[in-house]
Structure formats: C-alpha cells, structure tokens
Amino acid sequence: MAFTESIIAQFRRLENALSQALLRLQDPTDTEALHDVRINLRRIRSLLRPLRGIPGVAQLDNAAASLGKLTTPIRDLEVLIAELARHQLEWQTNVRKTELQSRNLALASHPLLFRFPKLLHGWPKSFRRAKRRHAKRRVADRLSRQVKQLRLALADTHYDRHRLRLLIKRVRYAADTYPQFALVTPEAAACLKTAQSALGDWHDRFVWCRQAENQQDLWPLLPEWQEAQETTLERAEAELFALSRALNL
C-alpha cells in the first residue's frame, strides 16, 4: 500500500505542476510555459510507463504521448525564433512569431487539451481499484531493463543518435521519478543530464539545417548551423562516452 500511495502522491504533484503550466499557455509572453508543459508530460510518462499492464495506464500514457507529439513542432518553432532573434534577423523572427501565434491558437482549442486533464485527474481512483500484485517488483524489473537497453545502445557506435537521445531522457526521468530504486549512481545521473543537454544542442542544429533546406530565408544561417551541428555532435559523443563509463562502473 505504501508503494501505491507514494505513486499517487507523486502523480498528484505532477498533475498540479502540469495544470499550472497549461494555465500559463494563455500568457503569450511566457516563453517557457510550453517547455514546462512538455517536461511535466515526460515526468508523468516516466511514472506511468513502468506501470503498463495495470488498467487505465496505457490509455493515459498514450494520451500524454499524443499531447507531447502535438506540441513538438510548436516548441521547435519557439526555439528557432529565439535563435533568429539572437542573430537579430528581425524579418525572419517576426514571420515565425506570426506562425507561432496561429499554432498556439490551434493548440488552445484542440480537444485533447480539454480531455487530457480529466483523464489525468481520474486516474488515481482507477489505480487504487486495480489489482497490483507484485507491482513494486515489476516496476523495478522494467526500470532495470531501461538502463540495460541504454547501456547496449551506448555500446553500439551505429545506434541512431535521435533514438539514443530519447533513451537517455527516458532513463534520466525514470531515475528522478523512482529514486527509491537507485537506478543509477549520482555520477551517472549527472552524466545523463550532461549527455541529454549535449545531444539537445546537436538536435536543435540538425532540425534547423533541415528546415533551412526548404525555407530560403534561413539560408544565410545554414553554413553556421552546419558547422555547429558537427561541433555539437563531437561534444555529444564525448559526453556519451563518459555516460557509458559511468553506467558501467
């Protein structure tokens, strides 16, 4: 029962944090609201994913994944706008700010944005009613498999770096969400954070280069982005090596 109640208590904290972030979406000057929505969605999914098999978990996890996918291009646009503003490209920035406003309006009226909080609020009640035999042991086993999967991916030099970035996020958030299982050492936890940040920097440049291929007004920045894409990937590879060592100590 203690394990069940600890999950529900954490879930309620995440529900509250997500609700606050969703409310902040109504403020067009809050440039971090969507980012915080996405972070809390990831944390909720990290809590839910090891519980799959329990009634109601898959439905809620899938809804969270759908909301995350819905917000991805909007967040990418926010990051691009910040980059264009840094380069003082006023026209390109303003064009994309107009597009961002349109996308935000569409998001605000999307049915999932209204349906998801209701699903979220009702889940603890169904979780309490569900049969949860050996739930703690099953969660521990699934989390252990996540870490093992990441170790194997890090050992494979040909493993897709986009997928690897997602694996690192998954293990990092799982370790934060279930600290009682001590999935990784403090050193490995720090390496997870650094590697995720480094791969995030590379991923941003990768996305920008892709966009510049089809958006002529971005061409002036393409050479710089291409060079930065290479240097950020080199840095990320060094961080991945450090992470691999930390996870295998």
Side-chain angles (χ1 to χ4, degrees):
M1 184 60 70
F3 182 62
T4 297
E5 293 305 317
S6 70
I7 288 176
I8 290 174
Q10 186 169 188
F11 185 87
R12 287 302 190 197
R13 287 193 294 270
L14 291 171
E15 179 191 11
N16 182 62
L18 179 62
S19 296
Q20 294 298 318
L22 287 171
L23 284 174
R24 287 165 50 205
L25 289 178
Q26 299 173 19
D27 181 359
T29 65
D30 191 335
T31 58
E32 291 301 309
L34 186 65
H35 181 54
D36 289 345
V37 166
R38 290 169 57 78
I39 286 176
N40 283 294
L41 282 173
R42 288 191 202 109
R43 293 192 183 282
I44 287 169
R45 295 198 69 205
S46 294
L47 185 69
L48 293 173
R49 192 178 288 111
L51 299 170
R52 271 184 171 258
I54 294 173
V57 170
Q59 180 190 16
L60 186 56
D61 185 36
N62 290 337
S66 296
L67 186 53
K69 186 176 181 180
L70 186 67
T71 59
T72 294
I74 304 175
R75 180 57 185 169
D76 286 345
L77 186 56
E78 285 183 339
V79 174
L80 175 59
I81 287 171
E83 171 71 2
L84 295 175
R86 186 176 70 84
H87 284 277
Q88 299 182 334
L89 296 174
E90 187 174 343
W91 185 84
Q92 289 93 328
T93 301
N94 289 336
V95 166
R96 285 161 182 83
K97 281 184 176 179
T98 301
E99 181 186 351
L100 180 62
Q101 290 174 353
S102 176
R103 286 178 176 266
N104 281 333
L105 285 172
L107 175 64
S109 61
H110 197 283
L112 186 57
L113 211 62
F114 297 95
R115 185 167 63 90
F116 184 72
K118 294 178 181 178
L119 286 173
L120 204 63
H121 190 70
W123 181 77
K125 185 176 181 180
S126 64
F127 181 57
R128 279 196 175 98
R129 290 199 307 260
K131 293 180 180 179
R132 301 175 302 275
R133 290 187 63 191
H134 311 301
K136 188 172 183 178
R137 187 176 68 191
R138 283 188 296 171
V139 167
D141 288 346
R142 288 172 181 176
L143 293 173
S144 178
R145 286 199 294 270
Q146 284 186 20
V147 176
K148 182 179 179 181
Q149 184 184 11
L150 177 56
R151 285 198 186 101
L152 291 173
L154 288 166
D156 182 357
T157 57
H158 300 292
Y159 199 90
D160 182 81
R161 268 29 193 169
H162 295 285
R163 291 178 59 199
L164 184 56
R165 185 173 68 94
L166 297 178
L167 280 180
I168 289 171
K169 280 185 180 183
R170 184 177 298 177
V171 170
R172 181 190 166 197
Y173 282 107
D176 288 345
T177 303
Y178 289 100
Q180 64 268 50
F181 293 111
L183 289 180
V184 296
T185 64
E187 180 186 355
C191 287
L192 282 167
K193 183 177 181 179
T194 306
Q196 180 184 329
S197 177
L199 280 175
D201 289 342
W202 163 74
H203 181 261
D204 286 342
R205 276 79 187 168
F206 175 87
V207 170
W208 297 340
C209 288
R210 280 288 190 87
Q211 290 176 330
E213 292 174 2
N214 302 309
Q215 300 176 38
Q216 190 172 348
D217 65 331
L218 298 179
W219 286 0
L221 292 177
L222 185 55
E224 177 183 328
W225 287 344
Q226 288 172 330
E227 182 179 352
Q229 185 181 346
E230 293 180 8
T231 56
T232 52
L233 182 57
E234 288 175 2
R235 177 186 161 234
E237 292 297 339
E239 299 297 347
L240 291 174
F241 179 74
L243 173 60
S244 181
R245 289 188 62 183
L247 285 177
N248 285 287
L249 287 177

